[in-house]
Each structure stands twice: as structure tokens, then as C-alpha cells.
Amino acid sequence: HMAAVAAHERPANYWHCLPQFSSARRAIWEAVNPHTGKKRIDEAFPKILRKTTREDTMTIEFKSGSVWRVVGSDNPDSLVGAPPAGIVLSEFALANPSPYAYLSPIINENNGWMDIITTPRGNNHVAKLFKAHQHDPKWFVQKLTVDDTGAIPLETIEEDRKTYIALFGEEAAEALIQQEYWCSFEAAIL
């Protein structure tokens, strides 16, 4: 929704970037919200706001003049040279962090923004980024656990714990639970 609002406040290019271009189509472009039964892009970008929608390139051009597209960070060189004003780096813990460095100069030049959303995957580049900026007033940094959101009942998590123990053993099961539900950077990586 942030990109949809930005695209109408300021005509520019906006991207949603996933770790792999090949997964972007199913994760963003084709994803259906299980709570509403609607495609997520249709919820975020209502068709009435669109000038064109290109399935082949996963691109939406808005009547406002802005363009939003889905890209992958698995080929950082393919992203260089484009002038986005806003980028969502989704599942960034699984991504090559190089695009952040390559794209920061153009974002800075364009007085733009980057939004990083992810689940932790150990003490990696995301953990370091989180720790470096969690008290930086120029950054908005937030970690939301299942306790904060209430999105998943604890009973459901306990059912997952039982299944994870059966599949992976007790230690790995607890690491997965801590990583996925409590956003732990310290949980062991399987």
C-alpha cells in the first residue's frame, strides 16, 4: 500500500524486489489473499487506478504516470541504471544484499525510499542492518512478533511445534518456531 500511495503522490518508478525473480510471480503477482480471495496486487493497486497492466513483465502503469513493477535481486546488474524512487526489498534475509548498495545512490539522488521487510534467517546482513539502525532516528525499524500482532493463535503455534518436532527434532523445531513466530535472529539455521 505504501507504494500505491507514493505512486499517486509522486509520479516515478516503484519496485517490489524479491530475492529471486522466478519466485516473484507467485509470491507477489499471482498471490491471492486467503482472507479476501482477491489477488494481492488488486487489493494494493485497484484496477480503476491503472492505465495498463502487463502480465509478461509484471508491470503496472498508473493513470498518475507512475510505474510499479516486480523485480528480482538475484541479478543485481540488471537493476543498475534504472531510476526508482521507491523500492520494497521483500524477504531481504534470503537476498543478496548487493542491490541495496547498488541502488542506494539512485534512491538518494531521487530523494526516494527503501522499505525492507523480512523474517530473520540467523545472524546475517539483516540482523546487522537491524542492530545498526534500530535507534537511528533517520530510520524506522520495527520487529513484530506473533505476540505483537496476535495474527496466529498460540494453540496453532503449539500444533506446529509438535509437527516440527516430528519432522526435524526438538532443537531444530524450536529454532524454526523462534525464527518464524518470534523473529529471532539468534535461532539456529537448518
Side-chain angles (χ1 to χ4, degrees):
H1 291 294
M2 182 175 169
V5 171
H8 288 82
E9 292 178 341
R10 176 183 174 198
N13 294 313
Y14 298 91
W15 294 350
H16 196 103
C17 183
L18 271 80
Q20 296 181 343
F21 182 75
S22 62
S23 66
R25 182 166 298 280
R26 74 174 175 279
I28 300 298
W29 194 257
E30 297 173 346
V32 174
N33 181 338
H35 302 287
T36 65
K38 297 178 182 176
K39 288 178 103 176
R40 292 195 186 270
I41 61 164
D42 293 340
E43 290 177 328
F45 311 116
K47 291 182 180 181
I48 195 166
L49 301 175
R50 302 180 198 179
K51 181 177 176 184
T52 60
T53 302
R54 295 205 42 202
E55 291 286 331
D56 59 334
T57 60
M58 294 184 288
T59 304
I60 296 172
E61 183 180 356
F62 296 101
K63 293 174 185 175
S64 68
S66 290
V67 175
W68 176 86
R69 77 178 54 227
V70 180
V71 299
S73 63
D74 49 343
N75 183 3
D77 292 340
S78 71
L79 303 176
V80 177
I87 304 171
V88 176
L89 297 170
S90 189
E91 299 296 346
F92 194 56
L94 299 174
N96 176 348
S98 297
Y100 183 91
Y102 298 152
L103 297 170
S104 288
I106 195 67
I107 287 292
N108 292 334
E109 181 183 331
N110 290 339
N111 195 28
W113 52 266
M114 279 196 217
D115 188 8
I116 299 170
I117 53 177
T118 193
T119 301
R121 290 289 181 107
N123 193 13
N124 60 11
H125 58 284
V126 169
K128 292 175 179 83
L129 195 62
F130 180 86
K131 290 173 189 169
H133 293 289
Q134 66 182 340
H135 302 295
D136 185 337
K138 294 178 182 177
W139 283 61
F140 173 78
V141 177
Q142 184 177 41
K143 179 170 110 172
L144 295 174
T145 70
V146 69
D147 292 333
D148 300 313
T149 66
I152 301 168
L154 294 178
E155 299 81 35
T156 302
I157 297 170
E158 288 310 312
E159 286 299 314
D160 278 352
R161 187 185 313 275
K162 285 184 216 174
T163 303
Y164 291 1
I165 290 171
L167 290 171
F168 307 112
E170 199 165 322
E171 189 174 320
E174 189 57 31
L176 283 167
I177 293 289
Q178 290 303 312
Q179 172 184 287
E180 295 298 317
Y181 293 110
W182 279 275
C183 301
S184 173
F185 291 111
E186 312 309 319
I189 300 296
L190 295 178

